[in-house]
Amino acid sequence: MAGFGGPSVPGPPAALWKRHIMRQLQQRDRTQKALFQELVPAYNHLLEKAELLATFSEKLRLEPSNVTSAADDEGSWEEESRPDSDQVPSPASLKVKWQEEEEGLRLVCGEIAYQVVEKSAALGTQQLLLEERQGRLAALEGRVAQLQEARAKQAQQVEEQRAQNVTKRAAYEVLRVRTGEQEAELRRLQEEASHLLQRLVQLKARAAAERNLRLERRQRASQAQVSQELKKAAKRTVSISEIPDFLGKAIREGTETLALAAEPGSLESKACERWKRPFSFKKRRGHSIGGVPEHRYQSIPVCVAAQLPSQALDVLDAHLSEVIAVRFGPNSNLLATGGADRLIHLWNVVGGRLEANQTLEGAGGSITSVDMDPSGSQVLAATYNQAAQLWKVGEAHSKETLSGHKDKVTAAKFKLTMHQAVTGSRDRTVKEWDLGRAYCSRTINALSYCNDVVCGDHIIISGHNDQKIRFWDSRGPCCTQVIPVQGRVTSLSLSNDQLHLLSCSRDDTLKVIDLRVSNVRQVFRADGFKCGSDWTKAVFSPDRRYALAGSWDGALYIWDVDTGRLESTLQGPHCAAVNAVAWSCSGSHVVSVDQGRKVVLWH
């Protein structure tokens, strides 16, 4: 075995613990030796001083006898030198002083030895603390290594995500460019279609004019032939019974021709009339162009004066989740509500309370809009499952599903013509439907998200996400007018006389548009009124005197349409944003629904 401080000699595995102990002892020896390197020289220096003092004391013990003999021989010298001898200390005083210094040195040595013991104890404590901190340092270094590894992984993921973002951004730019090209191509095709339609009209008009000329020539030829036959017949005498059939026909045609000739300008008026009406379209149910609808709903009695609501009569938690849509029937006693729970509830308004009538099931998604036809026998709802559905009052399950949109349907309204409806969707289209065959008779590309639609006699009005209201003639293919507003349009309401339009938008304003001059007549604002969502609905009163809307804080705001003044503010039952409101056709009740499942009946 090697010496205590020498190098270790490799041995069998069983002696590994011995070498470990030796290394630990060597480490402790080096550590303690380093700590005592300063104390040992000081202690040796003190010992050297003690030896010098001991030698000096021995010399002082021998010096008193020599000093006494010298005093006897040289007494006179002592007397002469006494002033100087007073300045040299005596041996006794030196001995006392040496003893005092020796005692002090002993005390110092004792104190130093005590300090050495204390330092040794403190050294052990510091050694334990050092070992503890070294252990913590090792643990922290391991933790730092783990965090650095995790940071490297996160940095790699960030780089990968950045690369994906760059790729997606490039793909988005490509799609945006492609969309721009497609929109430009669409506009070009629309312009080309418009030109082709104008050209077709011109060709039809030209063909009609040519046909009129050919008819006029044929009539003139027939007239000339009849004149010749009459001249021939006038030269001979025959009985009336012997007139041939062809001659009677010719006489009748000639008589008609002469009658037409007797009326100056009759042929020209006929030709002009045919020029003005070169061709006509056949009437079709659901999409008639240039003709009067065959069947229309009976007119609804007009409300003379609506009553301002002032108090809540009934409050119900009507649905399992948010209530989005509400609509009164034409008789003001039937109410329909639709919500995010995919259900439509029908309610009877009896004695100032809402009584459950029926639940319509089968909707494929959340209800976004509800409408009842003017007869009160059918319910039409727009849903999130890219379709609109039709129910018959009294039947629980859906009668028809109007599918064809590519995104959620946000609005569905009946037209005044029977068996026809209009829907608007987030896929930027407005569709007209023949409800008798559940067939889409027309698709209108609106170029923006459609949030709501309303229908007049021959007009469709749509409100869009690009802050515009568009007007479409149901008898023509193109948009007839665009009115810009400030803010995304959330709802539209058409007055019963179809002369005024009420719009609600996300700029927290309501606007009344006079359709006779296509101009904004009034803008309604109020402190505290905020449009709570993209489907917040506002309505006219039945007599068009008031405008009603719900705010994000659950309050209802009513404005006077003629003066623009805030007429009333209703607060209380609603604790969440009001999604939609409805005013009964009789003008006596108002119903509001909110995001907190509440349906409130006001009077």
Side-chain angles (χ1 to χ4, degrees):
M1 184 174 179
F4 186 76
S8 60
V9 179
L16 292 176
W17 62 274
K18 296 181 181 180
R19 290 198 297 272
H20 178 69
I21 292 174
M22 290 174 60
R23 284 195 296 269
Q24 293 293 328
L25 293 174
Q26 292 172 0
Q27 180 67 25
R28 189 184 66 178
D29 183 32
R30 286 192 295 268
T31 303
Q32 292 182 355
K33 182 177 180 181
L35 294 174
F36 282 95
Q37 281 179 353
E38 295 180 358
L39 296 176
V40 170
Y43 184 72
N44 292 333
H45 185 64
L46 290 175
L47 291 178
E48 290 176 356
K49 285 185 176 181
E51 291 176 357
L52 289 174
L53 290 174
T55 304
F56 185 67
S57 62
E58 288 296 333
K59 289 180 179 181
L60 290 177
R61 290 174 185 172
L62 297 174
E63 284 179 357
S65 58
N66 296 331
V67 172
T68 306
S69 58
D72 294 338
D73 295 335
E74 299 176 358
S76 58
W77 179 80
E78 287 182 4
E79 293 178 358
E80 292 176 358
S81 59
R82 185 170 295 177
D84 297 332
S85 64
D86 292 339
Q87 297 178 359
V88 178
S90 62
S93 62
L94 290 175
K95 183 177 181 181
V96 173
K97 185 176 181 181
W98 174 80
Q99 290 177 355
E100 291 177 356
E101 290 181 359
E102 184 179 6
E103 186 66 25
L105 290 174
R106 288 177 182 175
L107 293 175
V108 171
C109 290
E111 291 177 359
I112 291 174
Y114 181 72
Q115 290 179 3
V116 168
V117 174
E118 287 183 347
K119 294 294 184 181
S120 299
L123 180 62
T125 305
Q126 294 295 329
Q127 184 68 23
L128 294 176
L129 183 60
L130 178 62
E131 293 177 355
E132 180 182 357
R133 290 184 177 179
Q134 287 178 349
R136 289 176 58 189
L137 180 61
L140 291 175
E141 288 177 351
R143 178 62 177 168
V144 168
Q146 294 178 358
L147 292 176
Q148 288 178 349
E149 184 178 359
R151 180 179 177 275
K153 292 181 180 179
Q154 293 292 335
Q156 184 178 0
Q157 292 179 0
V158 168
E159 292 297 329
E160 294 176 356
Q161 191 66 33
R162 286 178 179 173
Q164 293 179 2
N165 290 340
V166 171
T167 305
K168 290 181 179 179
R169 188 178 293 108
Y172 170 75
E173 291 296 331
V174 173
L175 290 175
R176 188 175 63 82
V177 173
R178 186 180 303 172
T179 302
E181 294 175 354
Q182 291 178 353
E183 289 180 352
E185 182 68 16
L186 176 62
R187 288 192 293 270
R188 187 186 65 79
L189 291 176
Q190 288 177 346
E191 293 177 357
E192 184 177 353
S194 177
H195 294 324
L196 290 175
L197 182 60
Q198 294 177 0
R199 185 179 178 185
L200 177 63
V201 171
Q202 293 175 359
L203 291 176
K204 288 288 185 179
R206 189 180 303 168
E210 293 177 356
R211 187 167 60 252
N212 292 334
L213 291 176
R214 288 196 299 269
L215 180 60
E216 185 178 357
R217 290 172 184 173
R218 191 180 299 114
Q219 288 176 348
R220 288 177 180 175
S222 177
Q223 181 180 0
Q225 183 180 358
V226 170
S227 299
Q228 293 176 2
E229 294 291 339
L230 288 175
K231 289 179 181 179
K232 291 180 181 180
K235 291 179 181 180
R236 59 180 179 174
T237 302
V238 295
S239 100
I240 298 177
S241 59
E242 295 179 358
I243 297 177
D245 293 339
F246 75 92
L247 185 58
K249 181 177 180 182
I251 292 173
R252 288 192 297 270
E253 291 179 355
T255 304
E256 293 176 358
T257 305
L258 291 174
L260 291 173
E263 298 178 1
S266 61
L267 291 177
E268 295 180 359
S269 63
K270 293 286 185 181
C272 292
E273 183 178 357
R274 289 178 180 177
W275 180 272
K276 292 178 181 178
R277 296 184 288 105
F279 64 96
S280 61
F281 292 94
K282 293 182 180 180
K283 296 177 182 179
R284 293 187 299 171
R285 177 184 294 179
H287 184 45
S288 62
I289 300 179
V292 179
E294 296 180 356
H295 303 288
R296 294 173 62 87
Y297 290 101
Q298 295 181 357
S299 60
I300 301 173
V302 178
C303 175
V304 178
Q307 181 180 354
L308 274 178
S310 58
Q311 60 179 349
L313 297 180
D314 197 6
V315 180
L316 296 176
D317 287 335
H319 289 258
L320 300 177
S321 58
E322 178 181 3
V323 188
I324 301 176
V326 61
R327 185 75 174 182
F328 268 105
N331 59 1
S332 301
N333 294 327
L334 187 62
L335 178 74
T337 60
D341 56 358
R342 304 184 180 185
L343 297 176
I344 296 178
H345 293 303
L346 299 182
W347 309 85
N348 290 328
V349 182
V350 180
R353 297 186 63 84
L354 295 176
E355 296 181 357
N357 181 322
Q358 185 184 359
T359 299
L360 306 181
E361 301 176 350
S366 300
I367 307 297
T368 58
S369 174
V370 172
D371 193 25
M372 299 183 71
D373 68 340
S375 67
S377 61
Q378 291 181 321
V379 176
L380 181 65
T383 64
Y384 269 24
N385 68 335
Q386 304 179 6
Q389 293 186 251
L390 182 68
W391 285 267
K392 186 175 181 180
V393 176
E395 297 179 1
H397 296 285
S398 176
K399 176 183 176 182
E400 296 289 349
T401 299
L402 310 179
S403 58
H405 286 287
K406 297 180 181 180
D407 203 343
K408 56 187 176 184
V409 182
T410 55
K413 298 292 177 62
F414 286 102
K415 296 183 69 175
L416 297 179
T417 307
M418 295 180 66
H419 309 296
Q420 293 189 20
V422 176
T423 59
S425 172
R426 293 272 177 154
D427 63 358
R428 305 182 181 184
T429 63
V430 176
K431 291 182 181 290
E432 294 186 63
W433 300 87
D434 185 343
L435 299 180
R437 297 180 294 171
Y439 167 73
C440 178
S441 58
R442 182 188 180 193
T443 298
I444 301 172
N445 293 317
L447 303 178
S448 179
Y449 296 162
C450 179
N451 290 328
D452 199 7
V453 296
V454 291
C455 305
D457 287 334
H458 301 292
I459 193 171
I460 299 172
I461 308 174
S462 56
H464 296 273
N465 205 56
D466 62 352
Q467 306 180 9
K468 293 180 180 179
I469 300 175
R470 292 179 169 87
F471 295 77
W472 313 88
D473 192 339
S474 60
R475 300 165 295 183
C478 299
C479 178
T480 60
Q481 189 176 5
V482 177
I483 297 180
V485 294
Q486 296 178 353
R488 298 191 298 273
V489 180
T490 64
S491 74
L492 298 174
S493 177
L494 187 64
S495 61
N496 289 332
D497 57 7
Q498 300 186 19
L499 299 179
H500 296 85
L501 178 70
L502 176 67
S503 70
C504 180
S505 54
R506 290 308 299 269
D507 61 347
D508 303 328
T509 63
L510 275 67
K511 300 176 180 66
V512 176
I513 301 173
D514 192 337
L515 300 182
R516 293 168 293 187
V517 294
S518 301
N519 191 17
V520 177
R521 176 182 172 185
Q522 288 282 4
V523 178
F524 302 138
R525 295 185 179 88
D527 294 337
F529 174 75
K530 291 184 179 180
C531 187
S533 63
D534 286 346
W535 51 87
T536 299
K537 298 296 186 289
V539 296
F540 274 126
S541 63
D543 58 355
R544 196 196 56 78
R545 183 178 177 184
Y546 303 107
L548 170 65
S551 178
W552 68 280
D553 58 354
L556 300 185
Y557 290 79
I558 305 175
W559 289 270
D560 191 307
V561 174
D562 295 328
T563 63
R565 182 171 56 90
L566 180 64
E567 194 71 25
S568 177
T569 301
L570 304 178
Q571 295 181 346
H574 291 296
C575 299
V578 176
N579 284 330
V581 292
W583 209 313
S584 65
C585 297
S586 63
S588 59
H589 293 94
V590 167
V591 172
S592 56
V593 298
D594 66 11
Q595 297 179 4
R597 305 183 300 171
K598 281 187 172 56
V599 176
V600 181
L601 176 66
W602 302 83
H603 177 68

